[in-house]
Amino acid sequence: MKQWNNFTKGFIKDNPVFILLLGLCPALGVTTSAFNGFGMGLATTFVLLGSNIVVSIIKNVIPNKVRIPCFIVIIASFVTIVQLTMEAFLPDLFDSLGLFIPLIVVNCLVMGRAEAFASKQDIWSSIVDAMGMGLGFTLALTMLGGLREILGAYSIFGIQLIPGVTDGMLVFVLAPGAFIGMGYLIILFNYMKKKTA
Amino acid sequence: MNLLTVSGSPHVYTEESVSKIMYGVVLSLIPAALVSFYFFGLAAILVTLTAVVSCMFFEFIIQKYLIKGPITIFDGSAIITGVLLAFIVPASLPLWMVVIGSLVSIGMAKMTFGGLGKNIFNPALVGRVFLMISFPVEMNMYPKPTAFSTQLTDIVTGPTPLAVMKEGVAQGEKVSDIIPEIPEYVNLLMGNMGGSVGEISAIAILLGGIYMLIKKYITWEIPTAYLGSVFVLAGALWLIDPEYYVDPLFHMVTGGLMLGAIYMATDMVTSPMSRWGMIVYGIGCGFLTLVIRIFGAYPEGVAFAILIMNAFVPLINRGFKPKRFGEEVKNG
């Protein structure tokens, strides 16, 4: 039951983007389409899973005073794996995510979970936490990306909703649309959190 | 005579109320509306009606189903937002875009912040900027004014005088070569030029402004500081190089400056409270408008300038607090 709570808290109750407001740079920067958000979310989930496992294993070896640099080295290793893999197998997604892939290294969400959870908990809990948080992050980015894609290009995951019409409300493709969509999704998630609590 | 009635304070009442002021402002917009109906015909009437009705509709929906509070769609504020929004979009704008603009104005700029009196940005301007960024093609097609037009399709569109000027200067033409391409100043003053529905006639807007000044719905500080700073700055640039910078009178009568200075910048909710605050705010608006018009990417900067200064209003209010009665005067 405790592990189930660890897993599900990432979706609504402690949703990393809309409730904890962690990892906002990628959430605002790459969510121009649902697929970009989905890809970014899964990449972050993988890094989070890897870093949580390793940090949880070696938490007793890391000296307390240099723990942040140690976390960054661990996270950076996994980010490099993601980056090279994505460049090899998903070059299109890699091009559209661009700089935001290496920036996962300093993503508050990954750092935050390593610091606040993995360095204090056993390895099994850390895996569950990483999965829950990572999938919650993916859900958030996909929702924001989907909202912006529907309104900005009248399509979802690249499928046109209205045949022949491709120019939607341009503002949702641009940066202000990210903030507008974000604000309203924060309202929605806080409302759902209140309902479920 | 009830001279000896005993009652608690306050003892001095005013006849004014929120809805009275709002309907007064609507009344003062009638001259500008008539001019726009004359020049743009049926299209302008349709855009204005659509904006007003959809603003009231969205306010009703949000107040009834989301906020679940009292319904105040007849206090006039939604009507003003609708009229002002219609006045700052082209008359040829498709009506469904007007509806989206109304939704953004009422839903995003007004109700998200808590309704009338709590919004930090002018709702109509937020709607306009949203439309301008979302639909750049439709928002940049301004119909040419034709008296008593009942045509709804095949309207001849053309750029506004400001756009003609900006384009010409950008291509290295001299101002004196561009001037013949735009209508004469008398026409600009009367409103016979391409532009948004209600911003075209400087005279009609000034009339409405004078009415509001007499009724004390607005004070003189913001319009004077706004128009004055635009005039002085444009004049200074004009004196430096009259072949590159157009004369200040052109800036005064074109685009949305008059409408912005008299109706948008003076919005009671989103403007500073003290006299010096208002003057600083007006000068800021004027400066930003001119900077955007001359150096920016868009030919018109009134909407952006007022929205940017709206963001500074809380800061201005902190900086220019009026002295309380009885407070010690320093070094006095």
Side-chain angles (χ1 to χ4, degrees):
Chain A
M1 197 58 209
K2 184 183 154 236
Q3 299 298 5
W4 179 246
N5 280 341
N6 268 346
F7 181 69
T8 54
K9 70 173 189 285
F11 289 94
I12 292 178
K13 191 171 143 278
D14 276 343
N15 186 293
V17 178
F18 296 133
I19 305 286
L20 301 181
L21 303 180
L22 288 174
L24 291 187
C25 293
L28 294 168
V30 303
T31 52
T32 46
S33 71
F35 186 69
N36 280 1
F38 186 66
M40 184 71 199
L42 285 190
T44 313
T45 306
F46 174 78
V47 174
L48 188 59
L49 186 62
S51 77
N52 257 16
I53 292 173
V54 174
V55 167
S56 164
I57 289 173
I58 61 169
K59 62 175 179 287
N60 296 325
V61 187
I62 302 174
N64 196 31
K65 279 182 182 163
V66 289
R67 64 185 193 284
I68 300 288
C70 293
F71 294 162
I72 290 182
V73 171
I74 294 164
I75 296 166
S77 322
F78 284 102
V79 170
T80 312
I81 296 172
V82 168
Q83 191 179 359
L84 295 177
T85 314
M86 196 180 273
E87 196 170 3
F89 294 105
L90 292 165
D92 287 345
L93 183 63
F94 181 80
D95 283 342
S96 61
L97 294 186
L99 185 65
F100 284 95
I101 293 293
L103 276 178
I104 298 176
V105 176
V106 285
N107 190 315
C108 305
L109 172 63
V110 184
M111 289 287 283
R113 292 331 281 181
E115 165 81 17
F117 198 90
S119 62
K120 298 188 180 77
Q121 302 275 352
D122 58 281
I123 175 165
W124 176 234
S125 301
S126 300
I127 293 174
V128 173
D129 177 70
M131 289 306 288
M133 279 290 166
L135 292 179
F137 189 71
T138 312
L139 172 82
L141 261 62
T142 314
M143 277 182 77
L144 187 52
L147 179 76
R148 289 178 67 186
E149 196 181 343
I150 290 173
L151 293 173
Y154 300 140
S155 69
I156 183 82
F157 286 108
I159 304 159
Q160 285 296 324
L161 298 176
I162 310 170
V165 185
T166 49
D167 289 342
M169 290 176 232
L170 205 55
V171 72
F172 282 101
V173 182
L174 303 170
F179 284 95
I180 294 169
M182 182 99 188
Y184 282 103
L185 284 173
I186 288 175
I187 296 178
L188 178 71
F189 270 72
N190 275 300
Y191 178 74
M192 290 201 297
K193 186 187 171 189
K194 226 164 132 186
K195 281 266 156 168
T196 53
Chain B
M1 289 292 280
N2 264 338
L3 276 179
L4 297 175
T5 309
V6 179
S7 70
S9 62
H11 301 289
V12 183
Y13 297 94
T14 169
E15 290 289 305
E16 299 292 355
S17 66
V18 169
S19 53
K20 246 189 182 169
I21 292 177
M22 294 294 174
Y23 284 116
V25 177
V26 172
L27 200 67
S28 74
L29 281 163
I30 286 177
L34 289 179
V35 171
S36 72
F37 297 161
Y38 173 76
F39 281 121
F40 296 127
L42 205 53
I45 300 178
L46 271 180
V47 167
T48 313
L49 274 183
T50 311
V52 171
V53 170
S54 49
C55 274
M56 290 172 74
F57 172 74
F58 288 127
E59 182 150 312
F60 173 76
I61 294 287
I62 291 170
Q63 284 182 331
K64 177 139 179 127
Y65 296 105
L66 290 179
I67 297 179
K68 298 191 176 80
I71 290 165
T72 57
I73 56 167
F74 287 107
D75 71 358
S77 61
I79 300 175
I80 292 192
T81 302
V83 173
L84 287 181
L85 176 69
F87 274 18
I88 49 180
V89 298
S92 57
L93 196 69
L95 292 182
W96 64 272
M97 288 182 187
V98 179
V99 174
I100 287 181
S102 308
L103 175 62
V104 171
S105 292
I106 292 293
M108 194 188 293
K110 188 175 169 195
M111 285 305 168
T112 306
F113 290 92
L116 180 66
K118 302 188 180 98
N119 50 309
I120 52 174
F121 295 108
N122 186 310
L125 285 177
V126 173
R128 193 250 155 102
V129 168
F130 185 95
L131 290 175
M132 203 153 82
I133 301 174
S134 292
F135 309 108
V137 179
E138 289 82 356
M139 284 296 284
N140 272 318
M141 287 199 305
Y142 292 96
K144 285 221 162 77
T146 43
F148 290 125
S149 159
T150 52
Q151 224 173 353
L152 281 176
T153 51
D154 300 329
I155 298 170
V156 183
T157 59
T160 60
L162 275 171
V164 172
M165 184 60 69
K166 182 132 196 162
E167 185 75 10
V169 169
Q171 286 175 352
E173 290 177 48
K174 284 178 180 167
V175 167
S176 50
D177 295 337
I178 309 168
I179 287 284
E181 292 174 34
I182 55 179
E184 285 170 24
Y185 279 15
V186 180
N187 282 333
L188 295 181
L189 199 63
M190 298 304 292
N192 191 3
M193 62 172 176
S196 300
V197 170
E199 69 180 21
I200 45 172
S201 171
I203 288 278
I205 295 164
L206 272 176
L207 268 180
I210 291 168
Y211 173 77
M212 290 207 297
L213 262 179
I214 293 170
K215 284 285 206 173
K216 294 194 178 150
Y217 297 151
I218 59 173
T219 51
W220 59 270
E221 283 93 347
I222 293 176
T224 313
Y226 195 163
L227 298 172
S229 59
V230 168
F231 192 84
V232 168
L233 284 168
L237 288 171
W238 179 60
L239 286 179
I240 292 171
D241 186 358
E243 284 303 324
Y244 189 71
Y245 301 107
V246 70
D247 61 295
L249 210 59
F250 175 81
H251 280 291
M252 303 299 283
V253 292
T254 54
L257 183 65
M258 279 292 166
L259 192 70
I262 291 173
Y263 284 96
M264 312 279 180
T266 54
D267 179 3
M268 291 179 188
V269 182
T270 57
S271 60
M273 289 183 275
S274 62
R275 169 167 292 175
W276 282 104
M278 287 178 181
I279 290 172
V280 168
Y281 169 85
I283 291 174
C285 286
F287 176 75
L288 286 172
T289 302
L290 208 66
V291 165
I292 295 171
R293 274 187 180 183
I294 292 177
F295 305 106
Y298 286 97
E300 173 62 304
V302 170
F304 292 113
I306 297 175
L307 285 178
I308 291 170
M309 287 313 289
N310 278 347
F312 283 101
V313 164
L315 202 64
I316 293 174
N317 275 338
R318 274 177 73 118
F320 294 92
K321 277 186 189 158
K323 275 210 163 40
R324 287 189 203 91
F325 181 68
E327 196 176 342
E328 192 184 344
V329 181
K330 275 175 196 158
N331 305 325

